[in-house]
Amino acid sequence: MGTMLYSRGVFINRCFDELNLAQPDLVRQIHREYIKAGAEILETNTFGANRARLAAFGIAEKLSAINQAGVRVAREAAAGSQAYVAGAIGPLGVRIEPLGPTSFTEAREIFREQAAALLEGGADLLILETFGNLGELREAVMAAHEASGGAVPIIAQVTIDDFGHLPGGTDPESFTREMDSWPVDVIGLNCSVGPKATLETIELMMQYSSKPMSAMPNAGLPTRVEGRNIYLCSPEYMAQYARRLLWAGVRIIGGCCGTTPDHIKLIRSETR
């Protein structure tokens, strides 16, 4: 979503989540392009729509409206299809204990507030993504579970480096075993790296968990070209790895930064 909004001229310093209210037609049209490409799950445009991030733009009071509009716009785009709407939740963007002043209790409450707004809006499932800190992701998971009462599926995804480790160095066995113990339905990887490192790490994760896995890699590592990040993995390359991810047993496959409807169209072709 961020890649597509940026390509349509939205400035990088804008609050993308607030566009659910300010420019819903733009967000809806992007969702529809992914539906047309064959997407079966739409992620709401709410990755940064938590109180901590919205406060930085001075619009924390719009939290419920932004999240509920995110669900509504995605639902409108999915009308006539069988696609599900996933309420997207990202990290808080602030340091939590022991590295920062935000306590685990405070973090959980912030996540619970956003999860509740997405569920009130009618999200079919919740997806917690691009987390590099296990402690923060644990609080997000528990908040989502508490808000939903276990009534909707929860996907929890971390982001890794080229060696399959979390940003702080935690190895795949360690983070997979911990994620396996949480009340989530699916665990997986998204963002940061391309499909090759994602596949290699997912295969390791499968040794330590029997939970269904999800994989949503970037369209490669970004390359800076004339002041813009360009993602160089072609739709054909992403589709080749989608096939390998399917062979490995991954149950939910998509893409993160740089993944356009053209990528999703070819990824979808590998599932038929």
Side-chain angles (χ1 to χ4, degrees):
M1 178 59 71
T3 296
M4 295 294 286
L5 288 170
Y6 183 58
S7 72
R8 305 293 166 90
V10 178
F11 290 115
I12 196 69
N13 60 349
R14 175 75 187 269
C15 178
F16 283 14
D17 313 276
E18 198 267 339
L19 294 172
N20 296 334
L21 299 177
Q23 298 186 52
D25 290 344
L26 173 61
V27 178
R28 188 184 302 107
Q29 179 57 39
I30 291 171
H31 281 313
R32 283 176 175 161
E33 290 176 23
Y34 283 99
I35 287 289
K36 185 177 179 180
E40 296 174 299
I41 300 175
L42 291 180
E43 288 194 38
T44 56
N45 178 41
T46 57
F47 175 80
N50 62 67
R51 181 163 295 276
R53 288 185 181 269
L54 293 179
F57 292 96
I59 54 173
E61 76 282 355
K62 295 183 179 181
L63 185 146
S64 291
I66 289 172
N67 282 280
Q68 290 178 26
V71 177
R72 182 175 62 254
V73 169
R75 183 76 66 198
E76 291 167 353
S81 75
Q82 295 183 333
Y84 296 99
V85 174
I89 298 175
L92 299 182
V94 297
R95 289 185 176 274
I96 65 173
E97 63 175 294
L99 302 175
T102 304
S103 70
F104 289 133
T105 300
E106 291 170 325
R108 186 178 300 196
E109 183 52 41
I110 295 171
F111 284 124
R112 186 188 295 111
E113 181 182 32
Q114 184 182 7
L118 289 166
L119 292 168
E120 186 175 347
D124 298 311
L125 64 149
L126 297 175
I127 180 165
L128 318 176
E129 58 184 7
T130 324
F131 282 80
N133 181 305
L134 276 183
E136 183 178 15
L137 180 54
R138 181 191 63 241
E139 297 308 316
V141 165
M142 297 308 173
H145 184 69
E146 292 166 6
S148 68
V152 303
I154 299 173
I155 302 173
Q157 296 182 153
V158 293
T159 185
I160 57 169
D161 62 22
D162 285 329
F163 304 100
H165 293 178
L166 298 187
T170 306
D171 63 87
E173 177 180 355
S174 299
F175 69 69
T176 303
R177 289 189 184 278
E178 182 162 351
M179 294 170 73
D180 184 71
S181 70
W182 296 341
V184 294
D185 300 277
V186 180
I187 63 174
L189 306 174
N190 80 289
C191 204
S192 294
V193 296
K196 181 176 183 294
T198 298
L199 171 62
E200 292 169 350
T201 305
I202 283 277
E203 289 177 331
L204 288 175
M205 292 174 66
M206 287 179 169
Q207 299 176 31
Y208 308 110
S209 175
S210 60
K211 287 184 183 289
M213 300 271 173
S214 60
M216 302 180 191
N218 278 359
L221 294 173
T223 298
R224 198 76 173 166
V225 178
E226 296 182 355
R228 298 185 64 175
N229 283 334
I230 304 297
Y231 294 87
L232 300 179
C233 282
S234 68
E236 291 77 13
Y237 182 82
M238 288 279 281
Q240 289 174 9
Y241 271 93
R243 185 186 314 131
R244 297 178 189 180
L245 287 162
L246 285 167
W247 288 343
V250 175
R251 303 300 299 274
I252 298 177
I253 299 173
C256 202
C257 305
T259 306
T260 68
D262 289 337
H263 291 85
I264 294 299
K265 183 178 181 178
L266 288 192
I267 289 173
R268 173 63 189 271
S269 72
E270 295 297 333
T271 69
R272 294 172 175 167

